Amino acid sequence: MTSKKEENIISVKNLIKKFGDFTAVNKISFEVKKGEMFAFLGPNGAGKSTTIKILTTLVDATEGKISINGLDPKLQKNEARKTFGIVFQDPSLDDDLTAYENLEFHAVFYNVPEKLRSERIEKVLKLVELWERKDSLVKTFSGGMKRRLEIARGLIHHPKILFLDEPTLGLDHQTRDHLWGYIKELNKKEGMTVFLTTHYMNEAEEVADKVAIIDHGKIIEKGTSSELKKRTKTKNLEEAFLKLTGHGIRDESASAKDKLRNHAKAWGRKRWKLKLTMKTL
């Protein structure tokens, strides 16, 4: 029988992150089980982005213990990165390359064996219904198509965990529905754990098995959507979220957003450096 501890693919205990005198994340703890759809929600500036960056090895924690698929992301960065895929909030595709080339470069970056690359690329492109556009330049794609391609790219190395940072931001309702359909299918068929953030509370309520809400650097509630609605005596997750965090408008730290955007740009530059390597393969 599998123990509860063994079922947790993400474990965070007493996590703290300070920037000088400012505490962005203040001693938070939570777990995510294997195969779970987990929504990490919070207002702008609540500590959500900082936590995600720590989990995805972009930033080191000040204190606390973290386990990603049994690995410490601070001490085992490269090993941990191989276990997860990321879809950034901001676009990070190479617009001057084809859909196929974007995935091929990413596969090389993650050391996907050469004999498996074409097979995996075809599989994920068909999954997101872009196989017929494999030879099209990404700059000709719509926003929804680019999002689908980014999800395909995040899956190319068969990650155990898929991190989705506002994956449907700016997309129309129909495209959002299609994207979540793909993600839920992957979660169900592959048993892939999904760690997502979104400001669309209806999305989180519909897809997430568990929810954690962070505000002012602390987790203020966690549980299923039903549990959160019951505790707050509200009708839906959005009402529960607002009751817990308030109705005031928040300003997200520009530095936190800029760091994530700069990382996405750097990620793209690394792929450009792979061009010469790819030509020799």
Side-chain angles (χ1 to χ4, degrees):
M1 182 176 178
T2 305
S3 69
K4 183 177 180 180
K5 183 177 180 180
E6 290 173 334
E7 290 177 354
N8 293 332
I9 196 166
I10 299 175
S11 179
V12 176
K13 186 174 182 180
N14 298 326
L15 179 65
I16 298 174
K17 179 60 183 179
K18 294 184 178 182
F19 296 98
D21 295 330
F22 175 67
T23 302
V25 178
N26 192 359
K27 207 172 184 178
I28 68 171
S29 300
F30 63 89
E31 295 83 30
V32 180
K33 290 183 171 57
K34 290 180 180 179
E36 198 167 60
M37 295 272 281
F38 184 87
F40 192 60
L41 310 177
N44 291 336
K48 180 174 78 260
S49 295
T50 300
T51 303
I52 293 170
K53 286 185 282 188
I54 293 171
L55 293 176
T56 55
T57 76
L58 306 184
V59 173
D60 288 337
T62 304
E63 296 180 31
K65 294 183 179 180
I66 307 168
S67 175
I68 303 291
N69 197 36
L71 300 166
D72 185 331
K74 183 175 182 179
L75 302 177
Q76 301 166 287
K77 283 185 170 63
N78 290 334
E79 295 88 342
R81 287 169 183 162
K82 292 176 182 177
T83 70
F84 60 75
I86 310 172
V87 176
F88 294 105
Q89 178 176 334
D90 292 325
S92 58
L93 295 166
D94 192 326
D95 282 348
D96 292 320
L97 300 177
T98 66
Y100 195 98
E101 287 170 339
N102 266 276
L103 297 192
E104 195 168 21
F105 292 155
H106 201 72
V108 172
F109 185 80
Y110 273 98
N111 297 315
V112 175
E114 184 177 356
K115 62 181 180 180
L116 294 178
R117 285 177 207 155
S118 59
E119 177 186 332
R120 290 193 185 178
I121 291 170
E122 181 176 354
K123 181 178 180 179
V124 294
L125 282 177
K126 285 182 175 179
L127 175 69
V128 298
E129 299 181 6
L130 287 174
W131 178 246
E132 300 301 321
R133 297 294 302 274
K134 66 181 185 298
D135 296 321
S136 299
L137 294 177
V138 170
K139 62 185 176 184
T140 67
F141 284 9
S142 67
M145 291 169 69
K146 288 181 179 180
R147 263 312 194 214
R148 283 150 55 192
L149 183 59
E150 286 178 323
I151 291 173
R153 188 186 61 186
L155 300 171
I156 200 69
H157 59 295
H158 286 191
K160 302 290 185 182
I161 308 165
L162 183 62
F163 286 96
L164 301 172
D165 185 24
E166 298 284 349
T168 60
L169 185 66
L171 300 181
D172 60 66
H173 184 76
Q174 290 84 354
T175 304
R176 292 207 310 265
D177 281 348
H178 281 302
L179 281 175
W180 284 120
Y182 298 133
I183 294 165
K184 287 189 287 187
E185 182 180 2
L186 285 167
N187 169 256
K188 183 178 180 179
K189 290 186 176 180
E190 304 292 334
M192 184 177 63
T193 304
V194 178
F195 187 106
L196 67 101
T197 73
T198 180
H199 283 297
Y200 300 115
M201 295 298 118
N202 61 316
E203 287 186 345
E205 184 169 4
E206 181 180 347
V207 306
D209 300 307
K210 293 288 181 62
V211 175
I213 298 177
I214 184 171
D215 198 13
H216 300 295
K218 295 184 177 182
I219 289 182
I220 55 176
E221 266 296 1
K222 53 187 174 182
T224 65
S225 294
S226 296
E227 289 170 344
L228 267 58
K229 288 186 288 184
K230 184 177 181 180
R231 291 171 199 161
T232 55
K233 298 180 180 179
T234 52
K235 297 179 181 178
N236 54 55
L237 185 59
E238 182 172 4
E239 290 182 4
F241 179 84
L242 291 172
K243 189 167 185 178
L244 290 165
T245 62
H247 292 259
I249 297 173
R250 309 292 182 88
D251 291 323
E252 187 172 7
S253 167
S255 61
K257 293 178 74 175
D258 289 342
K259 285 179 182 178
L260 187 58
R261 286 175 177 148
N262 288 337
H263 174 78
K265 291 177 182 177
W267 197 276
R269 288 194 294 271
K270 287 179 180 179
R271 290 197 304 276
W272 269 103
K273 291 179 181 178
L274 285 170
K275 283 185 175 181
L276 291 177
T277 302
M278 288 297 300
K279 288 180 181 180
T280 65
L281 295 177

